[in-house]
Amino acid sequence: MADLRTIGVLGGMGPEATLLLQRKLIEAVPARDDSDHIPLLIDMNPQVPSRIAHLIEGNGTDPGPTLAAMARRLQAAGAVALAMPCNTAHHYANAITEAVDIPLLNMVDLAAEYAVKTLGAGGCVGMLASPAVRHTRLFETALTARGVSVVWPKRDEPMLDAIRSIKAEGPGATSRAALHAASEELLKSGAKLQFVACSEFSLIADSVSPEAHVVDTIDLLTQAIVETAQMDAAD
């Protein structure tokens, strides 16, 4: 196999989501030997300031400078592109890209492009994500620019409670029930295509409505990482 390019991962938001990305990358590569797998540089930093505290509660430290410093470390260590398995942290994507000379494989843009290819202009997407993502309009901005509308669960509290529960205790029956109920609600609102756009929900993505077409943004990121790593290093 040709030399693979090294991808830098801004991790720790949360730690299990970073491990999930690693597992998905291992499963995505038909490897015959260790050298067939994607080389990664991972900055596992669970000390990144809380995105929810900064964006929703309004009393937290701006995570942007910390993420920028992580990006610089990864570039200096040899990464040719960056990935970040945290949807909410993409609110600070500009702080990351302005700090380095290498691209960020942006999950929001990847999801928007997938929606257009799948639905075309005029389609509708349901979001299973953190209320922080909703408040920042990250996905609305990317999707509406491409002619795709967005619907959300009516209530933020069950989603936020589920995220906090997963962070503190891991996946459980209560968080699974909350995600399933939200997915069913979105389906009734006309959103058959739904994005799991929270890395905590990625851990319980099998709890969504079986009638919905659900895509995990971490899966889209996994595909983009593999494609980028396998590009000819001379390109």
Side-chain angles (χ1 to χ4, degrees):
M1 178 178 286
D3 289 342
L4 296 169
R5 293 155 32 116
T6 301
I7 308 299
V9 178
L10 291 88
M13 302 169 280
E16 283 201 55
T18 308
L19 295 176
L20 177 63
L21 175 64
Q22 289 180 264
R23 288 197 295 270
K24 286 180 177 289
L25 283 167
I26 291 171
E27 293 167 0
V29 176
R32 292 176 295 179
D33 191 68
D34 291 348
S35 61
D36 294 330
H37 285 289
I38 306 300
L40 300 174
L41 292 168
I42 301 175
D43 192 333
M44 181 69 94
N45 185 6
Q47 302 305 313
V48 175
S50 168
R51 285 67 63 202
I52 289 174
H54 186 244
L55 295 172
I56 295 181
E57 298 167 358
N59 58 7
T61 301
D62 181 358
T66 300
L67 294 171
M70 293 166 68
R72 285 192 289 268
R73 286 197 295 269
L74 290 166
Q75 176 175 286
V80 301
L82 300 173
M84 181 167 60
C86 175
N87 292 270
T88 305
H90 279 69
H91 176 73
Y92 310 97
N94 285 344
I96 295 168
T97 56
E98 290 172 1
V100 293
D101 300 320
I102 56 178
L104 172 68
L105 304 177
N106 190 303
M107 282 201 293
V108 177
D109 291 337
L110 293 170
E113 291 163 7
Y114 180 91
V116 171
K117 290 178 183 177
T118 304
L119 301 174
C124 177
V125 171
M127 297 299 303
L128 299 166
S130 165
V133 173
R134 180 178 187 171
H135 292 178
T136 58
R137 297 185 61 82
L138 266 176
F139 282 85
E140 279 88 346
T141 300
L143 286 161
T144 57
R146 294 165 170 84
V148 178
S149 62
V150 180
V151 293
W152 290 81
K154 291 181 180 178
R155 297 180 61 229
D156 285 345
E157 291 81 6
M159 306 299 277
L160 192 55
D161 288 346
I163 292 167
R164 286 173 169 157
S165 175
I166 294 168
K167 283 183 179 292
E169 303 167 6
T174 301
S175 56
R176 288 182 179 278
L179 187 64
H180 182 83
S183 181
E184 290 283 0
E185 178 188 336
L186 294 176
L187 194 60
K188 292 176 182 177
S189 298
K192 186 171 180 63
L193 175 62
Q194 301 174 12
F195 285 130
V196 170
C198 170
S199 50
E200 272 69 45
F201 291 154
S202 296
L203 301 172
I204 56 171
D206 58 348
S207 300
V208 297
S209 170
E211 298 179 16
H213 174 192
V214 180
V215 176
D216 191 334
T217 56
I218 286 188
D219 288 332
L220 299 177
L221 181 60
T222 298
Q223 180 181 355
I225 289 172
V226 172
E227 292 173 354
T228 302
Q230 292 178 345
M231 286 180 182
D232 188 334
D235 287 349

